[in-house]
Amino acid sequence: KAPKEPACSECPDLGLVYESAGATWGVNKGEKLRFIVVEDVGGQTVTVIEETTPAGFKEFTARAQRVLDSVKWGSS
């Protein structure tokens, strides 16, 4: 479940999810995100979140995609 509001003044503007360690993770104003969801990685779902500024998004996404392409997911 997503948090309904920021938990503190330093917390994200929009809480999206709770991390596996229990912390809130979310989006701050001015950020741009890309979510990659990979299902059935050893029976688990893995979510990779790219987080950057709108100006740097295209370059960052291209670099991140090269890293993602190098990962062996499960039995692939």
Side-chain angles (χ1 to χ4, degrees):
K1 290 187 159 194
K4 301 254 187 270
E5 59 186 49
C8 64
S9 60
E10 296 84 29
C11 293
D13 294 317
L14 174 62
L16 295 178
V17 296
Y18 290 106
E19 298 173 355
S20 57
T24 302
W25 186 90
V27 183
N28 287 306
K29 291 177 185 172
E31 293 179 324
K32 189 164 183 176
L33 306 165
R34 176 182 176 208
F35 294 84
I36 299 103
V37 179
V38 184
E39 294 186 24
D40 198 21
V41 178
Q44 300 289 317
T45 299
V46 175
T47 303
V48 178
I49 305 169
E50 295 176 16
E51 179 179 14
T52 187
T53 63
F57 188 76
K58 186 175 180 180
E59 179 184 350
F60 184 81
T61 297
R63 289 188 333 178
Q65 188 63 52
R66 287 192 296 274
V67 172
L68 290 168
D69 289 343
S70 72
V71 176
K72 289 201 62 107
W73 301 99
S75 61
S76 64

